[in-house]
Amino acid sequence: MSKAIIEHSVASETFNKDEPYVNWHDETLWFVRQKRDKSSKLLPEWEHLREAASGIKNYVLSHMDELLTAFEENAKQNGVHVHWAADAAEHNEIVLGLLKQHNIDKMVKSKSMLTEECHMNEFLSRNGIDVIDTDLGERIVQLRNEPPSHIVLPAIHLKKKDIGDLFHEHLGTEAGATDPQYLTEAARQHLRDKFLTRRAALTGVNFAIAETGGFVVSTNEGNADMGAHLADIHIACMGFEKIIPKQEHLGVFLRLLARSATGQPITTYSSHFKKPREGQEMHIIIVDNGRSTQLGRADFRNSLKCIRCGACMNTCPVYRRSGGHSYHNAVAGPIGSILAPNLDMTKNADLPFASTLCGSCSNVCPVKIDIHDQLYKWRQVLVKGGHVPQAKEIGIKAMSIVLSQPRFYQWSGRLGRSVMRTIPFMVNNSMNPWYKQREMPEPPKESFRDWYVRNRKE
């Protein structure tokens, strides 16, 4: 049974009750953003790489059918079984069918945001399949029975003490242990048996190459390799937007991906898969799940250029101070807020409003997606479609009236400043959402326009 959706504003208000924790979360993610900045500045050609990646992805969006057909043909020639899934339900059924066909009830899985999007773990669990996430961060949140809060750093919302307590409960580590090396070794020993005894392994796909029919999986832990190389059946799941035209294009994306994500020059493992080893089966599931619809939206198709680096999350002031779980979607942050409404406008209507529209997300995006512009356009679509609460709709219409009439706007500003000076409790109260988490500023004596007009005369 699906959990009730808690709107971002409500969930983030709960998140912000612990101010020291929020400050820590904010600073931790900003540290990752700073690493990205330092790493990117070491490459004089950084902006050229971004432009090249954006151009390649634009080509992909315009030739998607040709590239996918070529990939399927080449993959089949390599001995790989190719499956197509129209939506999440079909994807999950294909995975379950493959496991049942081989009488497998246990599987290891490396990181795959697509399977999070499809809620695959829960589906397989209901059907008697034991799925073990082998990425350390993913395993941590799996043991906590919660989704990842970040697409690259799944457990970034947890401190060392949280993980120490979790491992003490589930893995039998010493009580109070917080040493990262000790906890990591405990996880390694815990997972080793899983790798050796599971006959099926599932991985995501970072890039699929139409020219060769091969695909690349990027990890820092080597868990994808361990699972895929030891298993009798390797299942790789990809959204169809992961396709790129040629092998030579990989150099562009691999140089951008890790630097944008964590500030590394390249991921520790960039594993190339092309065909199954002798005696092994390899399956690729290509998933739509709303992507065709998004591809057909002129204002939003560029969101499919995303390479899932998480840079927009690390820089976003709203994400950093509200946490990934406030977004009630597999992909959180700015990029998730422009992808989610495509899947369900009513359910995800709040997410495009969880932004200041500052543009920092677009500035750091390695493939130059116009994220903040799409957030603004989604707001227009959602309001016009009646997908926002009536109170918000009335407020937006009221502001539209005020902002479209200069004299009324000027008068409203003077009235507002007067009210804040003479009867501040009209603004400084719990009915004002802005007052809940911050101190209201002192009202200025005059507006910038009044100051400008007066100084021009002088």
Side-chain angles (χ1 to χ4, degrees), residues 377-396:
K377 289 177 179 177
W378 264 122
R379 294 182 185 186
Q380 295 174 306
V381 170
L382 294 166
V383 172
K384 290 176 182 177
H387 296 287
V388 298
Q390 190 174 22
K392 184 186 286 287
E393 187 175 354
I394 293 171
I396 290 172

Side-chain angles (χ1 to χ4, degrees), residues 340-391:
N342 178 63
L343 295 173
D344 190 327
M345 289 193 196
T346 302
K347 174 183 172 184
N348 300 305
D350 58 316
L351 297 183
F353 293 90
S355 169
T356 64
L357 301 183
C358 66
S360 186
C361 49
S362 301
N363 290 340
V364 301
C365 178
V367 290
K368 308 188 81 168
I369 302 172
D370 53 337
I371 301 175
H372 73 292
D373 192 42
Q374 291 191 39
L375 286 166
Y376 173 65
K377 289 177 179 177
W378 264 122
R379 294 182 185 186
Q380 295 174 306
V381 170
L382 294 166
V383 172
K384 290 176 182 177
H387 296 287
V388 298
Q390 190 174 22

Side-chain angles (χ1 to χ4, degrees), residues 155-193:
I156 191 66
H157 59 292
L158 299 174
K159 294 187 175 183
K160 289 183 289 185
K161 182 183 183 306
D162 300 321
I163 298 168
D165 293 343
L166 180 76
F167 280 14
H168 174 64
E169 177 184 353
H170 291 277
L171 308 187
T173 56
E174 298 174 10
T178 59
D179 177 57
Q181 185 171 350
Y182 169 73
L183 295 175
T184 303
E185 181 60 29
R188 182 180 290 115
Q189 296 303 324
H190 160 68
L191 290 170
R192 185 57 57 100
D193 176 66

Side-chain angles (χ1 to χ4, degrees), residues 219-231:
T219 70
N220 276 328
E221 300 170 24
N223 54 304
D225 300 72
M226 181 81 82
H229 292 318
L230 291 174

Side-chain angles (χ1 to χ4, degrees), residues 213-317:
F215 59 94
V216 173
V217 180
S218 301
T219 70
N220 276 328
E221 300 170 24
N223 54 304
D225 300 72
M226 181 81 82
H229 292 318
L230 291 174
D232 297 332
I233 174 173
H234 175 191
I235 305 171
C237 306
M238 58 174 273
F240 69 53
E241 79 282 7
K242 295 302 180 83
I243 199 80
I244 60 173
K246 297 181 178 181
Q247 183 88 8
E248 66 189 52
H249 295 147
L250 273 173
V252 174
F253 292 103
L254 290 176
R255 296 180 78 194
L256 287 167
L257 176 61
R259 286 180 169 89
S260 297
T262 59
Q264 300 168 250
I266 195 168
T267 50
T268 307
Y269 299 90
S270 296
S271 307
H272 297 243
F273 295 94
K274 188 175 180 180
K275 60 182 179 180
R277 70 174 190 276
E278 187 176 348
Q280 185 192 47
E281 282 188 22
M282 184 179 288
H283 297 260
I284 297 174
I285 307 174
I286 303 173
V287 182
D288 187 324
N289 200 37
R291 287 162 174 78
S292 292
T293 302
Q294 191 83 326
L295 186 62
R297 300 182 193 270
D299 287 335
F300 307 113
R301 70 199 303 263
N302 279 355
S303 62
L304 294 175
K305 292 159 65 174
C306 177
I307 60 172
R308 301 297 193 271
C309 68
C312 61
M313 301 179 182
N314 302 335
T315 197
C316 177

Side-chain angles (χ1 to χ4, degrees), residues 43 118 151 161 196 270 290 323 336 443:
L43 289 182
C118 296
I151 59 177
K161 182 183 183 306
L196 293 173
S270 296

